[in-house]
Amino acid sequence: MLTDVLLRVLLIVQQLLQENKHGSKRDIYYMHPSVFSDQSVVDQAINDICILLQCSRHNLNVVSVGNGLVMGWLRFLEAGRKFDCMNCPSNVHLIPVHVDEVKDIVSVAKYILVVEKESVFQRLANDRFCNANRCIVITQMAYDAKFLRVPEIRWLGAFPSDFEKYGLPQQCLLPLTPEDKRRTETMLLRCYLQREVPQWR
């Protein structure tokens, strides 16, 4: 079983290197969540590969998110360093750790797209989304959650009801894990869900 996981992760890493693309450990997990069973399995496999090949994760084109990622039509200074995303809008940059040191922000973007999953962000980067769309894309973790609760934000994504509405195939679904069920139960205890019972409850 562990050999299967290691070989599968090696194949993914090989593909990343051959296509000169980058992915995160989380991306790799979401490629085959039913096979990997848990994020820690992927993490361990990547560590084992690094030891086996005597290289770093960076050499495998497997990236870490840190404070989050940004790409798009944006230019700024951080602690004297210039970040110019506009020259290559689909190049990925790490969000600076000390955002209070960011200044001289210049942008010609028409909108900002905040994506929840790093894997979605990485796919947009690999597809050069910002080259074709004058926007800024950031990962949600880069954003303080309180700034995401504003009326101007528009939902873009799938709802559970979309499964039946659009007749999605059964293989698109994954069974809930015990951890998924635990998190769902915790979410249902939130005060605003107690006041307004959602239809899907």
Side-chain angles (χ1 to χ4, degrees):
M1 176 63 178
L2 289 176
T3 306
D4 292 343
V5 168
L6 196 63
L7 288 174
R8 195 171 292 246
V9 173
L10 268 170
L11 286 170
I12 293 168
V13 167
Q14 179 187 26
Q15 184 178 357
L16 288 173
L17 292 168
Q18 286 175 337
E19 296 177 4
N20 195 27
K21 292 183 177 179
H22 292 78
S24 69
K25 291 189 280 188
R26 199 75 181 148
D27 294 336
I28 294 170
Y29 168 74
Y30 276 118
M31 287 179 187
H32 305 285
S34 57
V35 173
F36 296 138
S37 73
D38 191 74
Q39 179 67 55
S40 62
V41 173
V42 173
D43 296 350
Q44 185 59 54
I46 290 168
N47 290 343
D48 291 345
I49 292 167
C50 289
I51 292 167
L52 182 69
L53 300 178
Q54 297 181 357
C55 67
S56 70
R57 191 167 27 88
H58 174 75
N59 298 123
L60 303 177
N61 281 5
V62 177
V63 297
S64 174
V65 185
N67 274 4
L69 303 169
V70 64
M71 66 178 172
W73 297 83
L74 175 70
R75 183 170 49 234
F76 60 91
L77 289 175
E78 186 254 335
R81 291 189 315 153
K82 184 178 180 181
F83 290 82
D84 191 351
C85 307
M86 287 196 265
N87 284 337
C88 294
S90 291
N91 281 2
V92 177
H93 298 273
L94 291 172
I95 298 288
V97 175
H98 303 291
V99 291
D100 52 327
E101 295 181 12
V102 173
K103 57 184 181 179
D104 298 336
I105 299 172
V106 176
S107 177
V108 292
K110 294 181 179 175
Y111 61 94
I112 298 172
L113 180 62
V114 181
V115 295
E116 181 183 3
K117 302 288 186 191
E118 183 199 343
S119 56
V120 174
F121 181 95
Q122 204 61 56
R123 179 157 295 177
L124 292 173
N126 289 340
D127 291 344
R128 302 192 174 284
F129 179 80
C130 289
N131 286 18
N133 298 276
R134 195 168 284 260
C135 66
I136 296 168
V137 181
I138 64 171
T139 53
Q140 182 180 349
M141 66 182 301
Y143 232 89
D144 188 331
K146 69 176 178 278
F147 295 123
L148 296 177
R149 298 186 189 117
V150 294
E152 293 81 16
I153 286 188
R154 303 283 187 263
W155 171 262
L156 178 65
F159 289 100
S161 58
D162 291 340
F163 175 73
E164 291 177 5
K165 183 177 179 181
Y166 297 108
L168 298 174
Q170 192 68 32
Q171 63 263 28
C172 290
L173 297 179
L174 293 172
L176 289 176
T177 65
E179 178 64 15
D180 293 333
K181 291 176 183 175
R182 187 193 65 73
R183 286 184 181 179
T184 303
E185 291 300 323
T186 302
M187 286 171 55
L188 290 173
L189 295 174
R190 293 181 183 168
C191 60
Y192 56 87
L193 289 180
Q194 295 296 321
R195 288 193 302 269
E196 295 180 31
V197 180
Q199 293 177 350
W200 48 264
R201 189 166 184 178

